């Protein structure tokens, strides 16, 4: 993915530890603060392929990066997200995920843990469900995110809440 000179300059000299990979612009929400919500998402066929992301992970691993964070849009909309987490985990990288929490069902949380997910950040933008849902423009997403957080805790997947300061 990167040439050897570029890799040496970017990673070795800067000592980068964590790289975030935005896997998709697709999302169920239309948050006012988000770049993905304010543009037309790339068609799925134009996103990086599984192999392209795996090649990027290989380069990052060879370059001394120790953590990779998958984000989006909503990365759980990628059909290959479990494969990508598993691949990065097998390469010895700490794997992280940033999600809106809408798709954090019990089975998804179990699958994420089994794939090797080390940390999950869930977006909660207000303690009031109606304010959060209005901000995200997705009715019911607050409760799904809260339920997802509870499942992450239940299955001992380290997690945190991230929010947008407004």
């Amino acid at each position: 993915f990167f040439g050897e000179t570029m890799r040496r300059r970017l990673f070795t000299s800067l000592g980068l530890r964590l790289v975030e990979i935005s896997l998709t612009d697709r999302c169920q929400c239309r948050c006012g603060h988000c770049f993905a919500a304010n543009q037309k998402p790339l068609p799925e066929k134009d996103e990086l392929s599984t192999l392209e992301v795996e090649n990027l992970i290989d380069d990052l691993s060879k370059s001394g990066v120790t953590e990779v964070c998958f984000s989006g849009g909503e990365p759980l909309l990628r059909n290959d997200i479990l494969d990508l987490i598993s691949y990065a985990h097998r390469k010895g990288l700490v794997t992280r995920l940033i999600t809106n929490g809408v798709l954090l069902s019990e089975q998804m949380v179990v699958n994420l843990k089994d794939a090797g997910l080390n940390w999950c950040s869930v977006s909660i933008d207000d303690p009031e469900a109606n304010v959060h849902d209005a901000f995200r423009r997705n009715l019911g997403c607050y409760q799904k995110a809260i339920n997802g957080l509870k499942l992450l805790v239940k299955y001992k997947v380290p997690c945190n809440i991230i929010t947008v300061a407004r």
Side-chain angles (χ1 to χ4, degrees):
F1 211 83
F2 295 110
E4 186 59 37
T5 303
M6 177 67 81
R7 184 180 336 177
R8 192 172 31 257
R9 273 194 201 137
L10 281 177
F11 299 100
T12 309
S13 63
L14 296 175
L16 293 178
R17 176 182 63 83
L18 168 69
V19 172
E20 183 175 322
I21 302 172
S22 179
L23 294 172
T24 183
D25 292 340
R26 293 177 286 134
C27 188
Q28 314 92 318
C29 300
R30 290 286 159 245
C31 309
H33 70 278
C34 183
F35 70 91
N38 295 306
Q39 65 185 15
K40 185 177 178 187
L42 282 175
E44 193 172 341
K45 67 178 182 58
D46 292 334
E47 296 173 352
L48 290 176
S49 70
T50 303
L51 182 60
E52 288 171 321
V53 177
E54 288 174 347
N55 288 338
L56 176 56
I57 290 167
D58 288 340
D59 274 354
L60 296 173
S61 177
K62 290 175 191 172
S63 300
V65 169
T66 59
E67 299 181 46
V68 64
C69 179
F70 298 108
S71 67
E74 175 50 53
L76 294 179
L77 289 172
R78 288 276 301 230
N79 293 328
D80 60 354
I81 188 63
L82 297 171
D83 296 326
L84 295 173
I85 291 169
S86 179
Y87 187 82
H89 182 76
R90 288 192 315 271
K91 289 289 181 176
L93 298 175
V94 172
T95 57
R96 297 176 175 264
L97 179 75
I98 298 174
T99 178
N100 60 31
V102 171
L103 297 175
L104 287 176
S105 66
E106 189 155 9
Q107 188 60 59
M108 178 57 79
V109 169
V110 169
N111 291 344
L112 288 167
K113 182 175 181 154
D114 290 347
L117 184 67
N118 296 107
W119 194 275
C120 188
S121 297
V122 180
S123 298
I124 301 285
D125 295 309
D126 198 275
E128 299 293 329
N130 61 330
V131 177
H132 172 88
D133 289 357
F135 182 69
R136 297 221 153 229
R137 298 183 193 135
N138 184 324
L139 188 60
C141 69
Y142 175 86
Q143 194 56 55
K144 290 176 183 175
I146 294 297
N147 291 344
L149 281 163
K150 289 177 180 178
L151 290 167
L152 290 164
V153 170
K154 175 182 176 179
Y155 287 98
K156 299 180 178 15
V157 177
C159 58
N160 68 303
I161 292 171
I162 57 174
T163 192
V164 173
R166 308 180 265 136

mmCIF file of all heavy atoms in Angstrom, residues 103-111 151 154-155:
data_model
loop_
_atom_site.group_PDB
_atom_site.id
_atom_site.type_symbol
_atom_site.label_atom_id
_atom_site.label_comp_id
_atom_site.label_asym_id
_atom_site.label_seq_id
_atom_site.Cartn_x
_atom_site.Cartn_y
_atom_site.Cartn_z
ATOM 1 N N LEU A 103 -26.234 -1.443 15.727
ATOM 2 C CA LEU A 103 -26.158 -2.862 15.343
ATOM 3 C C LEU A 103 -25.507 -3.754 16.405
ATOM 4 O O LEU A 103 -25.191 -4.918 16.131
ATOM 5 C CB LEU A 103 -25.402 -2.995 14.018
ATOM 6 C CG LEU A 103 -26.066 -2.318 12.829
ATOM 7 C CD1 LEU A 103 -25.175 -2.401 11.599
ATOM 8 C CD2 LEU A 103 -27.431 -2.913 12.547
ATOM 9 N N LEU A 104 -25.355 -3.249 17.623
ATOM 10 C CA LEU A 104 -24.723 -4.038 18.678
ATOM 11 C C LEU A 104 -25.733 -4.992 19.336
ATOM 12 O O LEU A 104 -26.067 -4.869 20.512
ATOM 13 C CB LEU A 104 -24.076 -3.128 19.725
ATOM 14 C CG LEU A 104 -22.806 -2.428 19.305
ATOM 15 C CD1 LEU A 104 -22.325 -1.483 20.412
ATOM 16 C CD2 LEU A 104 -21.715 -3.422 18.933
ATOM 17 N N SER A 105 -26.168 -5.956 18.576
ATOM 18 C CA SER A 105 -27.028 -7.013 19.120
ATOM 19 C C SER A 105 -26.174 -7.960 19.950
ATOM 20 O O SER A 105 -24.932 -7.905 19.915
ATOM 21 C CB SER A 105 -27.674 -7.801 17.978
ATOM 22 O OG SER A 105 -26.661 -8.497 17.252
ATOM 23 N N GLU A 106 -26.817 -8.852 20.674
ATOM 24 C CA GLU A 106 -26.061 -9.819 21.472
ATOM 25 C C GLU A 106 -25.152 -10.669 20.588
ATOM 26 O O GLU A 106 -23.984 -10.875 20.907
ATOM 27 C CB GLU A 106 -27.014 -10.704 22.282
ATOM 28 C CG GLU A 106 -26.292 -11.571 23.282
ATOM 29 C CD GLU A 106 -27.154 -11.978 24.458
ATOM 30 O OE1 GLU A 106 -28.371 -11.731 24.440
ATOM 31 O OE2 GLU A 106 -26.590 -12.552 25.397
ATOM 32 N N GLN A 107 -25.674 -11.144 19.464
ATOM 33 C CA GLN A 107 -24.850 -11.971 18.577
ATOM 34 C C GLN A 107 -23.682 -11.185 17.998
ATOM 35 O O GLN A 107 -22.569 -11.694 17.900
ATOM 36 C CB GLN A 107 -25.700 -12.565 17.443
ATOM 37 C CG GLN A 107 -24.953 -13.585 16.609
ATOM 38 C CD GLN A 107 -24.480 -14.777 17.439
ATOM 39 O OE1 GLN A 107 -25.284 -15.465 18.043
ATOM 40 N NE2 GLN A 107 -23.182 -15.020 17.476
ATOM 41 N N MET A 108 -23.910 -9.919 17.650
ATOM 42 C CA MET A 108 -22.827 -9.103 17.108
ATOM 43 C C MET A 108 -21.738 -8.904 18.152
ATOM 44 O O MET A 108 -20.537 -9.007 17.844
ATOM 45 C CB MET A 108 -23.346 -7.746 16.611
ATOM 46 C CG MET A 108 -22.253 -6.833 16.080
ATOM 47 S SD MET A 108 -21.253 -7.536 14.735
ATOM 48 C CE MET A 108 -22.382 -7.290 13.358
ATOM 49 N N VAL A 109 -22.113 -8.628 19.387
ATOM 50 C CA VAL A 109 -21.116 -8.427 20.445
ATOM 51 C C VAL A 109 -20.304 -9.703 20.656
ATOM 52 O O VAL A 109 -19.078 -9.659 20.762
ATOM 53 C CB VAL A 109 -21.787 -7.944 21.754
ATOM 54 C CG1 VAL A 109 -20.806 -7.983 22.921
ATOM 55 C CG2 VAL A 109 -22.351 -6.530 21.567
ATOM 56 N N VAL A 110 -20.970 -10.842 20.689
ATOM 57 C CA VAL A 110 -20.266 -12.122 20.823
ATOM 58 C C VAL A 110 -19.312 -12.314 19.648
ATOM 59 O O VAL A 110 -18.147 -12.704 19.831
ATOM 60 C CB VAL A 110 -21.263 -13.294 20.924
ATOM 61 C CG1 VAL A 110 -20.569 -14.643 20.785
ATOM 62 C CG2 VAL A 110 -22.025 -13.225 22.238
ATOM 63 N N ASN A 111 -19.774 -12.026 18.443
ATOM 64 C CA ASN A 111 -18.931 -12.183 17.251
ATOM 65 C C ASN A 111 -17.734 -11.234 17.277
ATOM 66 O O ASN A 111 -16.632 -11.617 16.881
ATOM 67 C CB ASN A 111 -19.750 -11.961 15.979
ATOM 68 C CG ASN A 111 -20.761 -13.057 15.734
ATOM 69 O OD1 ASN A 111 -20.702 -14.139 16.319
ATOM 70 N ND2 ASN A 111 -21.717 -12.781 14.874
ATOM 71 N N LEU A 151 -24.471 -4.888 26.636
ATOM 72 C CA LEU A 151 -23.998 -6.183 26.126
ATOM 73 C C LEU A 151 -22.470 -6.239 26.105
ATOM 74 O O LEU A 151 -21.877 -7.281 26.421
ATOM 75 C CB LEU A 151 -24.573 -6.444 24.735
ATOM 76 C CG LEU A 151 -26.066 -6.736 24.704
ATOM 77 C CD1 LEU A 151 -26.596 -6.656 23.273
ATOM 78 C CD2 LEU A 151 -26.361 -8.098 25.321
ATOM 79 N N LYS A 154 -21.548 -6.907 29.585
ATOM 80 C CA LYS A 154 -21.911 -8.289 29.925
ATOM 81 C C LYS A 154 -20.870 -9.281 29.410
ATOM 82 O O LYS A 154 -20.497 -10.231 30.106
ATOM 83 C CB LYS A 154 -23.284 -8.627 29.334
ATOM 84 C CG LYS A 154 -23.718 -10.066 29.519
ATOM 85 C CD LYS A 154 -25.065 -10.339 28.869
ATOM 86 C CE LYS A 154 -25.435 -11.811 28.973
ATOM 87 N NZ LYS A 154 -26.748 -12.082 28.354
ATOM 88 N N TYR A 155 -20.394 -9.064 28.188
ATOM 89 C CA TYR A 155 -19.436 -9.987 27.572
ATOM 90 C C TYR A 155 -17.977 -9.550 27.781
ATOM 91 O O TYR A 155 -17.079 -10.092 27.150
ATOM 92 C CB TYR A 155 -19.763 -10.178 26.088
ATOM 93 C CG TYR A 155 -20.999 -11.026 25.926
ATOM 94 C CD1 TYR A 155 -22.246 -10.449 25.696
ATOM 95 C CD2 TYR A 155 -20.923 -12.407 26.057
ATOM 96 C CE1 TYR A 155 -23.385 -11.228 25.585
ATOM 97 C CE2 TYR A 155 -22.062 -13.195 25.943
ATOM 98 C CZ TYR A 155 -23.289 -12.601 25.707
ATOM 99 O OH TYR A 155 -24.418 -13.380 25.607
#
